[in-house]
Amino acid sequence: MAKESNQKLKLLYLLKILFEESDEEHFLSTAYIIRRLGDYGVYAERKSVYSDIEYLELFGLDIISRKGKSAGYALASRTFETAQLKLLCDAVNASRFVTEKKSNELIGKIEGLTSRHNAKKLNRQLYMTDRVKSGNETIYYNVDTLHDAIFEKKKVAFKYFEYNLDKEKVLRNNGSEYVVSPYALTFSDENYYLVSHYEKHGNLTNFRVDKMQNIRILDEDIVDISNVTPQGFKLSSYTKRLFGMFAGNEVVVKLLCENSLVNALIDRFGRDILIRREDDEHFIATINVADSPTFFAWVFTFGSKMKIISPKSIADKFADAVRNVENIYK
């Protein structure tokens, strides 16, 4: 009975062997396949191996064969190419919101999507000096729960923390839960943020997902986003206006920039921003941004190469901020 049962599993074990041990550079001989099947308690003859491989090909698998001294079979195509898996591994390694432990777990699963030979190529260190990684092991489950709430259009409750000078977690809102209407998850400045409506603030509020704890999906329906945003509001363009996900009053700003900054503007706001030539060395960019200290910090990054020219109230506010910084160094 056991032998018969193992025979029924032969095709599955054959596929497992081809998937894990072969690729376009590593072919498995018929004798090796028979031996490996034997390791799984499956008896096989040469003719049955040939027949089973034909069945796998009929099923749609891309199995290639090679003749000669190094004759054998290999699974050529998979869902992901090795180059794609390398990109996925690098993205996981570079993501600061994923803890080191979770990064290793994820990369291990990604390695399982290819042969063990190609997996060795994926198991490489992406060198990033003193890379800061999140310490919140629940980030996976936070994201998953929030996605469910957004899909079901239900409010969520959670606790939110920050760090004190002793590097200890301190709950905000006096330890009470925040109750919000979740609308979207977005990725900005290497962190996940929840875009939501928090009644206390009135408009849209953004929360760092890795600083959220004890997330619960409530039975209460969300407040429709159209009720808390202006007419014509689009979530897709919302994050372009924010810096570090700090919300503020939306304002149309004109910037006088040296030509060398055109790529920096396009990288930040996209190719659809309004740009016009001012002279041979400068252009004027018109952008929609949230009036916030982080926007000023971004402008300051470019020093004398960028100048806020309108509205005057924003330009004056920026100048005051610069003077305040200068004063603390006097």
Side-chain angles (χ1 to χ4, degrees):
M1 187 62 152
K3 182 176 180 180
E4 181 183 348
S5 177
N6 285 344
Q7 286 299 306
K8 290 181 179 179
L9 293 173
K10 185 167 69 168
L11 271 177
L12 295 175
Y13 281 123
L14 175 58
L15 176 57
K16 176 181 173 66
I17 293 166
L18 289 169
F19 187 91
E20 293 180 350
E21 303 184 39
S22 74
D23 51 52
E24 289 179 309
E25 297 178 0
H26 301 87
F27 286 72
L28 308 180
S29 67
T30 305
Y32 179 83
I33 291 173
I34 291 173
R35 186 167 69 253
R36 290 291 289 118
L37 286 171
D39 294 337
Y40 290 112
V42 177
Y43 172 78
E45 296 179 340
R46 282 183 172 272
K47 289 184 178 179
S48 68
V49 172
Y50 302 150
S51 175
D52 289 338
I53 287 177
E54 288 180 3
Y55 280 123
L56 291 177
E57 289 176 323
L58 286 173
F59 183 69
L61 296 179
D62 183 15
I63 299 175
I64 53 178
S65 60
R66 185 168 63 184
K67 297 182 179 180
K69 291 184 179 180
S70 55
Y73 299 93
L75 183 61
S77 300
R78 289 173 169 80
T79 303
F80 294 96
E81 298 174 7
T82 305
Q84 294 171 326
L85 296 177
K86 287 178 181 178
L87 284 176
L88 290 175
C89 287
D90 287 350
V92 170
N93 252 328
S95 297
R96 61 177 296 168
F97 69 88
V98 182
T99 64
E100 186 174 353
K101 179 183 176 182
K102 293 297 184 185
S103 293
N104 292 334
E105 289 177 3
L106 256 179
I107 291 172
K109 291 180 178 181
I110 293 173
E111 290 174 355
L113 297 174
T114 188
S115 71
R116 57 182 173 85
H117 307 287
N118 284 332
K120 293 178 182 178
K121 300 176 184 177
L122 302 180
N123 190 13
R124 57 193 180 134
Q125 179 66 40
L126 182 65
Y127 292 102
M128 309 190 76
T129 306
D130 296 328
R131 186 63 176 173
V132 176
K133 299 287 270 184
S134 170
N136 189 348
E137 288 289 341
T138 65
I139 183 71
Y140 276 4
Y141 315 107
N142 286 356
V143 171
D144 190 44
T145 301
L146 292 171
H147 272 304
D148 287 344
I150 293 167
F151 177 77
E152 296 169 11
K153 296 185 177 181
K154 296 293 183 180
K155 288 186 177 182
V156 293
F158 57 88
K159 293 190 175 183
Y160 200 64
F161 70 85
E162 57 187 4
Y163 290 100
N164 62 17
L165 293 178
D166 295 318
K167 305 176 186 176
E168 299 169 334
K169 293 180 181 179
V170 178
L171 292 177
R172 296 181 61 176
N173 200 27
N174 295 319
S176 298
E177 287 185 318
Y178 288 81
V179 176
V180 305
S181 296
Y183 300 126
L185 284 168
T186 187
F187 192 72
S188 177
D189 295 324
E190 302 187 80
N191 288 297
Y192 256 124
Y193 288 87
L194 173 69
V195 179
S196 65
H197 172 252
Y198 180 43
E199 289 186 6
K200 185 176 179 180
H201 291 172
N203 52 9
L204 294 185
T205 305
N206 309 307
F207 294 92
R208 275 263 300 267
V209 176
D210 60 314
K211 292 189 175 183
M212 300 166 71
Q213 292 184 165
N214 306 326
I215 303 175
R216 298 184 297 117
I217 300 177
L218 306 179
D219 291 331
E220 187 179 354
D221 292 338
I222 64 171
V223 176
D224 194 288
I225 192 170
S226 63
N227 295 333
V228 295
T229 55
Q231 187 175 4
F233 174 83
K234 292 183 179 179
L235 268 173
S236 58
S237 59
Y238 172 68
T239 55
K240 285 184 182 179
R241 303 193 296 269
L242 302 181
F243 285 78
M245 295 306 291
F246 280 86
N249 295 324
E250 185 178 340
V251 60
V252 179
V253 173
K254 289 188 177 182
L255 302 171
L256 177 66
C257 310
E258 290 189 7
N259 290 341
S260 61
L261 298 186
V262 65
N263 285 287
L265 269 292
I266 291 175
D267 287 345
R268 185 62 184 80
F269 298 99
R271 296 182 62 184
D272 56 344
I273 61 170
L274 181 61
I275 291 178
R276 69 173 175 84
R277 296 178 185 274
E278 177 66 6
D279 53 42
D280 290 341
E281 297 179 352
H282 300 85
F283 66 90
I284 292 178
T286 303
I287 58 175
N288 286 49
V289 297
D291 172 16
S292 68
T294 46
F295 167 61
F296 290 157
W298 179 78
V299 172
F300 188 77
T301 301
F302 303 104
S304 60
K305 294 183 178 181
M306 179 182 290
K307 179 182 179 181
I308 301 172
I309 57 175
S310 75
K312 186 176 184 302
S313 59
I314 298 298
D316 291 344
K317 193 173 180 180
F318 175 70
D320 287 341
V322 173
R323 280 191 289 270
N324 288 338
V325 171
E326 180 184 15
N327 287 336
I328 71 171
Y329 286 93
K330 288 184 177 179

